[in-house]
Amino acid sequence: DPERVELQGFTGHHDSKIEHLLRDLLKEMQRPGHGDALRADTQAIALAERLIDYSGSVRAPEPSVATLSPVQLKNAIDFMEACLTRDFGIDEIAQFVGMPARLFAAAFEDATGETLTTFRTERRLDYVKEWVNGKSADAPASELARRAGFRSAEAMNAAFCAHIGITFENYRTGRLG
């Protein structure tokens, strides 16, 4: 019975015109003597045209979970390290690696064990520590903060306290607290 045929392949989408055309075609094909061939051909063509229109208008749903390939992860990290001295958002990184922004953050955290914010802040702190322990040991805190991408010396100091457990000046002078 054509009325009881389940339409498969349209999960989550419903198109009553396709359903109607398919049921009419099935009825015609089940008529004694295989029905009218010209009428069945006409219905099949109409169904094919509607399916083509439908397929062009329906997009596959985005996956709710994504993973970063090793290349995407490397590209994301390289991008962030190259851009540490300026503000950049998740949309920019996600676009760079070719992934929807809403999935990128979770995929990055899954791959690295760190949120994007934590990763970026820790990389900025690594640069400051390198400079303080190297040729920029005497540079003003405000200069180091600017070069590492912090908004201010205060923001850099807050990051030192939150991530390292001591102030920037205590780190610089080797005092542990």
XYZ file of all heavy atoms in Angstrom, residues 34 55 64 69 89 137 151:
48
model
N 1.078 -2.537 -14.949
C 2.102 -1.526 -14.648
C 1.651 -0.104 -14.942
O 2.463 0.788 -15.096
C 3.413 -1.829 -15.383
C 4.005 -3.130 -14.979
N 4.520 -3.353 -13.737
C 4.144 -4.294 -15.660
C 4.961 -4.598 -13.661
N 4.734 -5.189 -14.816
N 17.486 18.995 -2.946
C 18.866 18.727 -2.543
C 19.719 19.987 -2.570
O 20.666 20.110 -1.814
C 19.495 17.640 -3.416
O 19.670 18.123 -4.738
N 27.787 17.952 15.967
C 27.767 18.610 17.270
C 29.093 18.435 18.004
O 29.350 19.098 18.982
C 26.618 18.072 18.120
O 26.777 16.680 18.282
N 42.298 17.808 13.347
C 43.333 16.930 12.809
C 44.672 17.452 13.323
O 44.781 18.609 13.751
C 43.307 16.959 11.284
O 43.782 18.205 10.801
N 40.176 36.728 17.843
C 39.055 35.981 18.394
C 38.985 34.565 17.861
O 39.694 34.186 16.929
N 65.980 41.602 30.253
C 65.811 41.480 31.708
C 65.471 42.810 32.373
O 64.735 42.833 33.360
C 67.064 40.892 32.338
N 47.126 43.792 27.642
C 46.590 45.150 27.522
C 47.360 46.154 28.378
O 47.394 47.336 28.069
C 45.119 45.180 27.905
C 44.246 44.415 26.935
C 42.776 44.527 27.327
N 41.964 43.629 26.546
C 41.330 43.971 25.433
N 41.444 45.189 24.993
N 40.614 43.094 24.780
